[in-house]
Structure formats: structure tokens, C-alpha cells
Amino acid sequence: MKVKVEDLHEGCIIAENIMGLTNHPIMTKNTPVTALHIELLQAFQIDYVAVHSKKEDGSLFGAEALDEASIKEEREVRLLSSSPRSEFERQYQEAATFYKKEFSNWQSGSKVDIVKLKQALIPLLTGSRIEEHSYYLHELCEANDYIAHHSIAVGVLCHLLGRKMGYDEGLCTQLALAGVLADVGMAKMPISILQKSTGLEREEAIEIRKHSIFSYQYIMDTPFLKKEMKKAIYQHHERLDGSGYPIGEKGSAISLFSQIIAIADMYHAMTSERLYKKQQSPFKTLEIIMEDSFGKFDLVVVKALQDLIGNLTPGTKVQLSDGQKAEVIYTPPADVTRPVVKTAEMGEILDLSRQRKLFIDRIL
């Protein structure tokens, strides 16, 4: 039956796809209506919608409220969505501290203990709601210990990207290990370069480019890493168009696994604070990567990053680049970094796909 949007109740179930002014449905058939959905429909100036005669809780449409059990469940979901991330942060800091200590040992000539690194990493990969941590990994990075933080974060991101690409858990764990190990060769770099607080000179940049070779040398004989992952570590700075290093390989010669490490490495480096640069918004970074990566990365890998960082669910609290706090109402599939949001203070509906000067700065 068709009803006015102003007469909708939370819990009503949409009976037909609602298109609005988009090429994709702004709401799909069988979606239970929430308060945010009603605001979205009003924002798109939808007057009538088709709904089923029964609500989500089984009651007939027209009942004044959800039953007590549904309200309790809604409260629990809301409470869960705002739960502290302290356990993940604790495990992350422990892993970064461990990596820093090991890095110092590698600088002194010690071998890489992959088993211990894996033990430090596993807790970060097995926690609940792990994908949510991808939004603020860069906020945990400490510029003075960048290599340790970067390596741990890249490992986590590689694991998440592997999941998005449909790999099994064992392969995702191998990808995570490869991501963590990609920069172990930095231990052979001069301290003066590693601690430099400004951009690198040409000669220094040439020296840094050797690190992927050294990383491979550190791990080439280990039985704990698949052959494909060792190759990915060696190639993680190669690009499909031949613009990468260490040897400028092109096209199919570059493995998909190396591209996963590469895009995780690039994304975290661009979002994180360094001694010579400030943090950058994950969403602005994703836009830059999507615009500039054509011909450099397989589109499957870029899409995996887009699916991981974009596609914010309705109700997600964000801070915009002008400092305003807002709530996501709708994310268009064709422009996932620029959802429709409702500002917290004024209740204004903003379509970020049309207001290009504004962007999401961070998740709250």
C-alpha cells in the first residue's frame, strides 16, 4: 500500500525500490524504516512510498510504537555502535612497541623472527568489528616511531583488503604478515634518512628505494611465508605502468598480492602524520587514490579499498572538513566518499557529492 512519507512509522517495511534522483535506489525493497530513512526520503522530496502491511516486529502498520523487545534491541545496537575501541588500541600499541624493539635488533644484525611477529599481529586480526578500526588506524600513528606504526597498520589493512577480495582467512593472515614485513629492509637504511624531518634529497630517495630488496633478503629463506608473499614484498613499490621500483616491472609481471600491500602502504602513508607532514582525511585520501591510480593498480584492488573505507552506513557520526559534526543519511554507490549527511547543530541536509569543497574529515 502507498502511504505519505509524513505518515511513516519506524519499523515499516518498504515494498518497492525507491529511486529518488539517483541511478541507484536510495532505499531498497524490504528495508525496515528508521528515523534516518524518513529524513532521507524528505531530503529527496519523496512524497509517497509503498510499504508492506506489517512492520518489522510483526505488528500491523499503524501501531504507535515498536514493542518493548524491539526498543531494547535498538538500544543495545546503539550502545554497541558507540563502544570504546580501547582493546584494539591496546593491542595495536603492544604490537607497535614490539615491532620497534625488533627493528632495533634488525639494525644490529639480528634475523627477523616471523613467528613472534605473527604472534604480536594475530590479536589485531581476530577481534570483533575489525573493519571499523580501518577508519582511525592513522590516528594511532606516532610520527617519531613511524616505521613501526606504519608496518603494523599496513598489515591490518592488507588483512582487511584480502577479506574484501574474498580470500580465505589463512591467505588473509599471510597477506597481513607480508604487509608487516614489507618495510623490514628499512633497518638497513642510514639513521640520518630514517630520522629526517624534511623531504628526501634525490640521492636519499634513491637509497630508500633499495629497502624492498633488503626486505626480500631478510625473509627469502623463511618457511613461514608463502612464495607468493615473498614476491609481493619485493614488488610492493612496483606499478602496472612501469613507474615503480626496484626494477620498473609492468603489467601482469606484478602480482595482485603486491598491489594489495602497495595500496595499503600508500593509503596509510598519505593519511598518517609524519615528521614532515600532517594527517590527511581518509576520505580525501581515498578520493585522491581513486583519481590518480588509473593505470597503476588493478581496479579490483582499488575497489577493495573503496569498499573498505567508503560506504558509510546510515547513522554513522562524522566530522566534516569545516568542523561541523554530522550524521550519514545515505551513501550513493557511485560516490561512496561523499554521502548525504545531516548536520548535528542545525539539522541541515548536505549532499557532499554536490558540495565538493566539503568532505568528511574523520569518523567520530
Side-chain angles (χ1 to χ4, degrees), residues 15 35 70 74 78 127 189 201 213 276 298 300 311 342 357:
S70 297
E74 185 180 355
R78 191 180 297 117
M189 295 294 106
E201 301 294 335
I213 299 174
Y276 53 86
D298 192 300
V300 172
N311 288 328
K342 177 185 176 184
K357 291 183 179 180

Side-chain angles (χ1 to χ4, degrees), residues 49-67:
V49 295
V51 297
H52 292 293
S53 59
K54 286 189 177 182
K55 296 168 65 176
E56 184 183 17
D57 63 354
S59 62
L60 293 174
F61 173 57
E64 293 185 357
L66 296 172
D67 61 33

Side-chain angles (χ1 to χ4, degrees), residues 8 11 21 24 44 54 67 75 81 120-121 138 154 167 218 236 246 252 272 296 298 355:
L8 277 177
L21 300 175
H24 301 273
F44 277 85
K54 286 189 177 182
D67 61 33
R75 270 200 210 108
S81 68
L121 185 64
H138 66 291
V154 168
Y167 298 140
Y218 268 116
H236 77 280
S252 60
S272 299
K296 296 181 183 294
D298 192 300
Q355 302 196 34

Side-chain angles (χ1 to χ4, degrees), residues 55-278:
K55 296 168 65 176
E56 184 183 17
D57 63 354
S59 62
L60 293 174
F61 173 57
E64 293 185 357
L66 296 172
D67 61 33
E68 188 175 346
S70 297
I71 293 174
K72 181 179 179 182
E73 181 181 356
E74 185 180 355
R75 270 200 210 108
E76 289 173 349
V77 170
R78 191 180 297 117
L79 180 62
L80 183 62
S81 68
S82 61
S83 61
R85 57 198 193 193
S86 57
E87 181 63 13
F88 178 84
E89 290 185 12
R90 181 187 65 78
Q91 293 168 339
Y92 170 91
Q93 293 296 343
E94 287 179 356
T97 299
F98 175 78
Y99 188 102
K100 180 182 177 182
K101 180 181 177 182
E102 290 296 290
F103 190 84
S104 180
N105 292 335
W106 304 331
Q107 288 177 307
S108 300
S110 297
K111 293 183 177 180
V112 176
D113 191 331
I114 294 181
V115 174
K116 286 185 177 179
L117 270 178
K118 182 178 179 180
Q119 290 172 344
L121 185 64
I122 285 297
L124 294 173
L125 310 181
T126 55
S128 62
R129 303 165 70 204
I130 181 175
E131 286 193 16
E132 295 180 17
H133 303 313
S134 61
Y135 292 115
Y136 63 87
L137 274 171
H138 66 291
E139 295 179 5
L140 303 179
C141 185
E142 297 177 13
N144 289 327
D145 294 322
Y146 173 75
I147 293 176
H149 286 266
H150 178 66
S151 298
I152 296 300
V154 168
V156 173
L157 289 169
C158 285
H159 187 271
L160 293 172
L161 290 171
R163 281 186 175 184
K164 288 294 183 184
M165 294 175 68
Y167 298 140
D168 62 46
E169 198 63 22
L171 194 53
C172 288
T173 300
Q174 280 280 303
L175 265 171
L177 271 174
V180 168
L181 294 163
D183 281 351
V184 295
M186 287 290 189
K188 291 187 178 291
M189 295 294 106
I191 297 294
S192 59
I193 293 180
L194 297 181
Q195 295 181 347
K196 193 168 184 182
S197 59
T198 58
L200 299 179
E201 301 294 335
R202 182 175 180 277
E203 293 77 13
E204 294 170 329
I206 292 173
E207 186 68 17
I208 279 289
R209 288 186 168 207
K210 298 176 184 177
H211 81 271
S212 55
I213 299 174
F214 295 143
S215 292
Y216 175 77
Q217 291 173 348
Y218 268 116
I219 53 86
M220 63 182 182
D221 295 325
T222 180
F224 300 109
L225 205 61
K226 291 180 180 291
K227 181 180 178 180
E228 300 92 330
M229 299 304 161
K230 296 175 183 179
K231 180 180 179 181
I233 288 171
Y234 178 78
Q235 290 187 330
H236 77 280
H237 280 291
E238 299 285 9
R239 300 294 182 262
L240 294 181
D241 62 0
S243 62
Y245 62 86
I247 63 175
E249 289 190 295
K250 293 183 178 181
S252 60
I254 303 171
S255 80
L256 201 61
F257 296 136
S258 73
Q259 294 181 63
I260 292 172
I261 300 174
I263 210 160
D265 174 84
M266 178 187 295
Y267 168 79
H268 187 259
M270 291 174 69
T271 55
S272 299
E273 182 178 358
R274 307 283 289 273
L275 291 175
Y276 53 86
K277 67 175 278 293
K278 294 182 179 181

